[in-house]
Amino acid sequence: MRPEEAVRQLEYAIDASLDEIGQRAAAGYRPTFERVADRADGAAVYTLAGELAEEVDCGDCPTPAEANETAERVLADRAYTDGGE
């Protein structure tokens, strides 16, 4: 998954689940998705998007800082499980 696709996925999840405008809220995650794409691959971006969308589905809109923490966990898990960078 490319970073712009991940942002769009979160826009839709936020629009559907929260009383916020998804486009505005999801834009803050773009740098995080881009960093994950640079350090890993589309699969890691997809995993991150899924985890953030799951939080949104539960009614929570993670801050960009929380998204960064989740990204670091995804990258660390990837390094341990499939030999990522």
Side-chain angles (χ1 to χ4, degrees):
M1 174 178 278
R2 294 181 305 207
E4 58 273 8
E5 294 169 328
V7 170
R8 198 170 324 114
Q9 177 182 337
L10 280 177
E11 286 176 14
Y12 298 146
I14 292 167
D15 285 341
S17 301
L18 304 174
D19 290 334
E20 295 185 37
I21 298 173
Q23 185 176 20
R24 182 180 54 217
Y29 304 127
R30 181 177 299 275
T32 301
F33 286 123
E34 290 172 350
R35 183 170 45 82
V36 170
D38 287 343
R39 290 180 52 192
D41 60 12
V45 173
Y46 180 82
T47 299
L48 175 59
E51 289 193 21
L52 295 176
E54 192 173 303
E55 290 184 44
V56 168
D57 286 341
C58 291
D60 183 32
C61 189
T63 66
E66 291 168 333
N68 283 330
E69 291 173 13
T70 302
E72 288 303 318
R73 189 178 71 251
V74 166
L75 290 169
D77 289 348
R78 177 178 154 70
Y80 289 119
T81 60
D82 67 1
E85 294 183 48

